[in-house]
Amino acid sequence: MAQWDMMSKLLPYMTPESIDNLYPPATFPIHVRYLLADWIEKQRWDDFELEKADQVLPAKALLDQIINYLKKKAVLDTNVVEKMRLNHTSSNMEMFRQHALKFGVMIRDILRKERLFINNPAAAKPPQSPSRELAMPAPSMFNVDDLVYKVLYVQDCRQKIHQLQEDLNLEGQNFESFESLQGSTLHNGMDEQKTDLQKQREFKLKNIAMNRLQLLQEAVECLVHCQASLISRLKAWRWEQHQASIGHPFDDNLSPLQTWCEQLLDLNGKLRQEGMLTGTPIPELQKKLAGLQQALIKSSLIVDRQPPQVIKTQSKFPTTVRYLLGEKVAPGKPVMLKAQIITEAQARSLTQLGTIPSDNAGELINNTAILENNSTNKTTCATFRNMSVRKIKRADRKGTESVTEEKFAILFSTEITITGCETPFKIQIISVPVVVIVHGSQEINAMATVIWDCAFSEPDRIPFVVPDRVPWNLMCVTLNSKFMSEVQTQHCLNQYNLHFLAQKIFDQPDLAGEFSKMTVSWAQFNKEVLPGRQFTFWQWFEGAMELTKKHLKAYWSEGVIFGFIGKQHLHLILKERPNGTFLLRFSDSEIGGVTIAYVAANEHGGQKIQNIQPFSKKDLEIRCLGNRIGDIENLAFLYPDTPKRGIFEKYYTDKPLLSPEGGYIPVRLQTVEAGPGFTNNSSMTPRSEFQEMSPQLMTPLQPFQGTFGAESGQPAFVFSGSNSLFSQEMAPMDVDLEDLLEDLPPLWP
């Protein structure tokens, strides 16, 4: 039971919202637990369940009893430290009045764990989370709690020393007065009695002073460890924020870290005060505390909202910098933050030497903001709302390095004064790496630089060093995370998709062997074009991702798009399927295309695999994928055997044709199959990615189809135009009847 009690000292610093985030759950501080042990065990905690509304009142009653008991005990307790701790605990428990049942359930769970621990200690150990290669330390508020108690003990020792000193002085005066009244007859006996009492008190005074000094040193060491954990957690937060751009989970809540910073700064001030009140100077201790204070003040500046990692010159962008010790900033002159853009070399020099570069790598507009305090959410932030890069200075590039591989950073700096500190502190923080472009055509390549940096950088690297080669398995995680976060879907890339991506990037044949032990280079990712293509792997992958994000999100999320699959694998899974079986895959010959592969009968009564010309973003803007699939009668079953209508019908958007209005006839675009004699020299010429197997193809045409009649009661004629008349660029719209009739073939001889 003692183990759970030792972990339960966190409650004085808890809020009701923090209960669910703790393991093991916090319960009463150990001193309270001892006071209430018998009473707690006798209560009917096992009846508490969050779903039982009738338990709210009993839970509140129990909580009130605990609070009242602690308050009475604090009044009667003569120990100053215990009195403070009891008052602090009862005050914090007041916050749980609105969450009394939740508090009761928490106590119930703790009691169950304690009983389990008594019966089987091994079974009650907290579960160990699986180790992660890049795991970061979590906040340890238990250490802060221990530090608080150490500081309280130091203060209590000082008060006892002061009281003993006063008692010694008073007793000395009393002995002198008593001696003068009694005369010299009792002088010798009084001297002996006085000497004994003085020795006892002086001995006690000396012991307390020694204990106080030892406690003070222990408290400072505890502060060192607490602050090291805090700074590690701040670094971890920034690293997790960096990785969030490729889809990794990230909790951006800075409030717990802000509370931690404020507590440590307060405790540092109290220890500095106790050090000065020792009577004998302790310069080493004061120097260490001053260094800790300076490090904490400088580490509390955070880029809460990062600038975009691809910045186009002349384009406005926002960013927000937050100061976690904003409540401690000395009132008076407003604190102004300045932003400047720096090169990778300057960022490296800043990290190693701590000096702010005097030369800018470019010109920033609207690059100053005032640090403002928001009393509502207790944050202190400087918001740059309309910052922009007017011009940029490029460094000399090495070899084949392009401008989209050059990384910069935004440096934020200011001078700040903290209440209680005479000297202002110069503090600064740099943003995540950014790539500056001058034209939108550079954005995809710039994004590749950002992705590689976010995914494969180390937490404590030298800015902005990244490896040139990474394991393929790690690349798989990156591609999957980025795809899911960009598309905003829970449907991930499966093992077949990732296997094909490996074949693509390593230029290996379909159904090749194992890739898990291979490494992929930056050049393979986005520097070298794919064999037989005019684009890189990332450009091709990004095109498929963008197409899915803009036009195929619902289809992908439902799992009706197979996605990335090789040609041989495609033949393997479709060769024994009935005619009309089809699947949807991303084109491997075009950027941002989705195509339909289906089983069709060949001229000899056998089967062949037909591949429809890929639909691009432009095609799907004209007519959605669901309608196109519905148009093609030869498509019957989505692989492996799902009827087409059952799964795609909800995506159909065609509406019944309305009667003519205002002299115009309605238009509906439709995808049809080209006949055997179809020829077309335009850009719509059908093609297949399997030319040797599919001489006639299903081609996505948009012929005109409509009805018209001169007047009501006359017959309406149904007709369709050829592809040469209506191209993909034509969206459904009003068509002038006279212009249309000039180009239409005659409806009858």
Side-chain angles (χ1 to χ4, degrees):
M1 190 176 295
Q3 287 194 12
W4 296 106
D5 287 332
M6 290 303 294
M7 291 189 180
S8 69
K9 297 192 294 181
L10 180 60
L11 185 61
Y13 308 98
M14 284 177 55
T15 60
E17 292 75 14
S18 67
I19 296 177
D20 297 330
N21 299 325
L22 298 173
Y23 188 90
T27 179
F28 304 105
I30 186 170
H31 60 288
V32 179
R33 185 74 167 92
Y34 291 149
L35 290 173
L36 302 176
D38 294 336
W39 182 83
I40 287 174
E41 292 290 350
K42 293 176 183 177
Q43 304 309 309
R44 298 181 60 184
W45 301 96
D46 288 335
D47 293 341
F48 289 142
E49 298 287 348
L50 290 176
E51 296 78 13
K52 294 182 178 180
D54 59 327
Q55 293 298 316
V56 173
L57 291 179
K60 288 183 177 180
L62 282 175
L63 181 60
D64 289 339
Q65 291 180 51
I66 295 173
I67 294 172
N68 292 333
Y69 181 87
L70 294 178
K71 288 181 177 179
K72 291 178 182 178
K73 191 67 178 177
V75 172
L76 299 175
D77 204 318
T78 57
N79 187 300
V80 177
V81 176
E82 288 299 317
K83 184 187 292 287
M84 293 176 63
R85 293 167 69 190
L86 289 169
N87 284 328
H88 189 56
T89 301
S90 61
S91 176
N92 276 277
M93 283 189 177
E94 296 282 353
M95 296 187 299
F96 288 93
R97 290 188 184 276
Q98 300 300 320
H99 307 268
L101 185 56
K102 194 177 209 180
F103 181 81
V105 171
M106 179 186 70
I107 301 301
R108 178 208 66 193
D109 292 341
I110 292 168
L111 290 175
R112 289 176 179 174
K113 292 179 187 298
E114 289 183 343
R115 292 167 189 150
L116 179 63
F117 178 73
I118 292 171
N119 297 327
N120 183 10
K125 291 181 180 180
Q128 299 298 317
S129 59
S131 60
R132 295 192 308 161
E133 183 180 356
L134 298 174
M136 282 290 156
S140 179
M141 296 298 288
F142 297 110
N143 292 336
V144 176
D145 187 44
D146 290 339
L147 177 59
V148 170
Y149 289 146
K150 288 181 185 297
V151 173
L152 288 173
Y153 283 129
V154 170
Q155 293 172 332
D156 186 54
C157 286
R158 174 173 50 80
Q159 292 171 358
K160 286 181 178 179
I161 290 172
H162 181 72
Q163 185 64 46
L164 281 171
Q165 191 64 55
E166 287 186 345
D167 291 344
L168 280 172
N169 295 336
L170 182 61
E171 286 177 359
Q173 293 175 3
N174 291 338
F175 272 113
E176 290 176 1
S177 300
F178 187 76
E179 183 180 13
S180 63
L181 290 173
Q182 296 297 325
S184 59
T185 55
L186 300 177
H187 180 75
N188 294 334
M190 290 293 295
D191 282 346
E192 292 178 3
Q193 184 179 3
K194 175 184 176 182
T195 301
D196 290 340
L197 288 173
Q198 281 182 334
K199 285 182 178 179
Q200 291 176 13
R201 291 191 181 276
E202 287 173 356
F203 179 76
K204 187 176 182 181
L205 185 66
K206 184 178 180 180
N207 282 341
I208 294 177
M210 291 177 61
N211 289 336
R212 177 173 180 263
L213 181 59
Q214 183 178 353
L215 282 171
L216 182 60
Q217 292 172 338
E218 290 177 0
V220 172
E221 289 303 313
C222 186
L223 177 62
V224 170
H225 293 303
C226 287
Q227 186 161 314
S229 297
L230 170 62
I231 292 176
S232 293
R233 183 64 195 123
L234 288 170
K235 290 180 179 178
W237 189 93
R238 289 195 289 265
W239 182 72
E240 291 164 2
Q241 182 193 46
H242 186 36
Q243 285 212 314
S245 60
I246 56 172
H248 287 205
F250 171 57
D251 181 8
D252 62 353
N253 182 18
L254 280 169
S255 296
L257 293 177
Q258 177 173 312
T259 301
W260 200 358
C261 287
E262 292 170 344
Q263 281 186 326
L264 291 188
L265 187 65
D266 285 338
L267 292 170
N268 186 301
K270 290 178 180 179
L271 289 174
R272 286 162 64 89
Q273 183 181 32
E274 291 300 320
M276 290 186 289
L277 294 174
T278 56
T280 55
I282 313 175
E284 297 83 5
L285 209 62
Q286 292 293 342
K287 184 177 179 181
K288 182 178 288 188
L289 287 170
L292 289 171
Q293 183 190 58
Q294 182 177 356
L296 181 61
I297 290 172
K298 290 186 174 182
S299 300
S300 299
L301 192 65
I302 298 290
V303 183
D304 191 5
R305 181 182 180 184
Q306 294 283 354
Q309 287 195 259
V310 177
I311 300 176
K312 185 175 179 292
T313 54
Q314 309 298 333
S315 297
K316 296 178 181 179
F317 60 89
T319 184
T320 302
V321 178
R322 179 171 172 178
Y323 193 54
L324 300 182
L325 292 174
E327 296 288 335
K328 310 297 181 181
V329 175
K333 185 179 178 181
V335 178
M336 180 75 71
L337 262 77
K338 179 183 177 182
Q340 62 186 102
I341 191 164
I342 60 176
T343 64
E344 183 174 343
Q346 288 175 324
R348 196 168 300 168
S349 176
L350 175 66
T351 303
Q352 295 172 343
L353 303 178
T355 55
I356 299 177
S358 56
D359 296 333
N360 291 329
E363 184 179 349
L364 283 178
I365 307 300
N366 299 322
N367 64 331
T368 58
I370 295 176
L371 202 62
E372 298 177 317
N373 184 269
N374 187 326
S375 58
T376 303
N377 55 18
K378 296 183 179 180
T379 61
T380 304
C381 299
T383 302
F384 300 81
R385 293 180 174 82
N386 296 302
M387 193 153 53
S388 65
V389 179
R390 173 176 289 179
K391 59 183 179 180
I392 193 71
K393 299 176 185 177
R394 301 287 182 186
D396 294 333
R397 292 186 291 278
K398 301 176 182 178
T400 60
E401 186 181 40
S402 68
V403 294
T404 58
E405 296 176 67
E406 187 177 4
K407 289 180 279 191
F408 298 88
I410 307 295
L411 169 64
F412 302 94
S413 59
T414 188
E415 191 174 86
I416 201 164
T417 302
I418 299 297
T419 302
C421 300
E422 298 179 359
T423 307
F425 295 89
K426 293 182 179 180
I427 58 177
Q428 63 272 334
I429 189 71
I430 62 173
S431 72
V432 296
V434 300
V435 179
V436 180
I437 62 175
V438 297
H439 194 274
S441 61
Q442 299 172 316
E443 184 173 1
I444 294 176
N445 289 333
M447 185 55 65
T449 301
V450 168
I451 296 296
W452 190 273
D453 187 273
C454 293
F456 309 125
S457 60
E458 296 293 334
D460 292 321
R461 63 169 173 175
I462 299 172
F464 298 111
V465 175
V466 287
D468 186 61
R469 302 189 72 90
V470 295
W472 171 247
N473 285 343
L474 190 55
M475 175 62 77
C476 286
V477 174
T478 299
L479 294 176
N480 183 58
S481 297
K482 182 60 179 176
F483 192 95
M484 292 178 66
S485 64
E486 195 70 22
V487 177
Q488 292 294 298
T489 180
Q490 296 300 313
H491 186 65
C492 63
L493 301 177
N494 60 32
Q495 57 180 339
Y496 303 110
N497 298 151
L498 295 172
H499 190 79
F500 175 64
L501 292 175
Q503 294 167 1
K504 193 81 171 174
I505 202 168
F506 294 122
D507 189 25
Q508 296 293 321
D510 277 3
L511 309 178
E514 181 64 33
F515 297 103
S516 60
K517 296 181 180 180
M518 297 182 67
T519 59
V520 59
S521 68
W522 162 249
Q524 289 172 309
F525 183 66
N526 192 55
K527 205 165 183 66
E528 301 169 349
V529 297
L530 294 170
R533 309 298 184 208
Q534 298 298 317
F535 45 81
T536 66
F537 173 85
W538 166 253
Q539 291 167 349
W540 169 74
F541 180 84
E542 194 278 339
M545 184 171 62
E546 186 70 9
L547 181 73
T548 308
K549 174 184 176 181
K550 295 290 181 63
H551 298 285
L552 306 176
K553 177 181 176 180
Y555 303 91
W556 175 266
S557 298
E558 194 175 349
V560 301
I561 297 179
F562 200 99
F564 302 101
I565 181 174
K567 299 173 183 177
Q568 292 182 23
H569 189 189
L570 174 69
H571 279 270
L572 186 64
I573 65 176
L574 289 181
K575 66 179 182 179
E576 295 183 356
R577 292 291 167 181
N579 291 350
T581 303
F582 69 99
L583 61 76
L584 300 163
R585 69 181 187 91
F586 298 124
S587 171
D588 68 346
S589 61
E590 291 188 7
I591 294 179
V594 62
T595 185
I596 303 172
Y598 71 101
V599 182
N602 62 21
E603 297 80 357
H604 307 291
Q607 289 183 324
K608 61 182 178 181
I609 306 298
Q610 295 279 64
N611 283 265
I612 296 176
Q613 178 177 327
F615 301 118
S616 66
K617 173 186 175 182
K618 189 174 182 180
D619 298 330
L620 298 179
E621 286 174 349
I622 295 173
R623 187 164 176 79
C624 73
L625 182 64
N627 284 339
R628 292 181 181 273
I629 292 173
D631 291 340
I632 305 172
E633 296 180 357
N634 284 352
L635 305 182
F637 303 100
L638 178 68
Y639 176 84
D641 53 11
T642 305
K644 176 179 72 172
R645 178 171 290 275
I647 196 167
F648 286 100
E649 191 171 21
K650 59 178 169 290
Y651 298 113
Y652 298 164
T653 60
D654 282 342
K655 298 179 181 179
L657 293 174
L658 303 175
S659 58
E661 182 178 346
Y664 295 95
I665 61 174
V667 172
R668 182 174 65 195
L669 302 177
Q670 187 173 10
T671 305
V672 299
E673 181 179 7
F678 178 83
T679 58
N680 192 335
N681 295 323
S682 70
S683 61
M684 289 296 296
T685 302
R687 71 180 186 277
S688 170
E689 295 176 32
F690 301 93
Q691 292 290 344
E692 70 280 7
M693 301 187 64
S694 50
Q696 285 88 30
L697 311 172
M698 289 288 292
T699 305
L701 309 179
Q702 286 74 39
F704 173 85
Q705 178 172 318
T707 61
F708 72 92
E711 297 183 90
S712 178
Q714 292 186 351
F717 297 94
V718 180
F719 60 94
S720 63
S722 67
N723 183 61
S724 61
L725 178 61
F726 294 96
S727 67
Q728 290 195 18
E729 285 76 1
M730 297 183 62
M733 57 186 294
D734 287 342
V735 179
D736 186 80
L737 183 59
E738 294 181 358
D739 293 337
L740 179 66
L741 291 176
E742 291 179 0
D743 294 323
L744 281 177
L747 297 178
W748 52 81

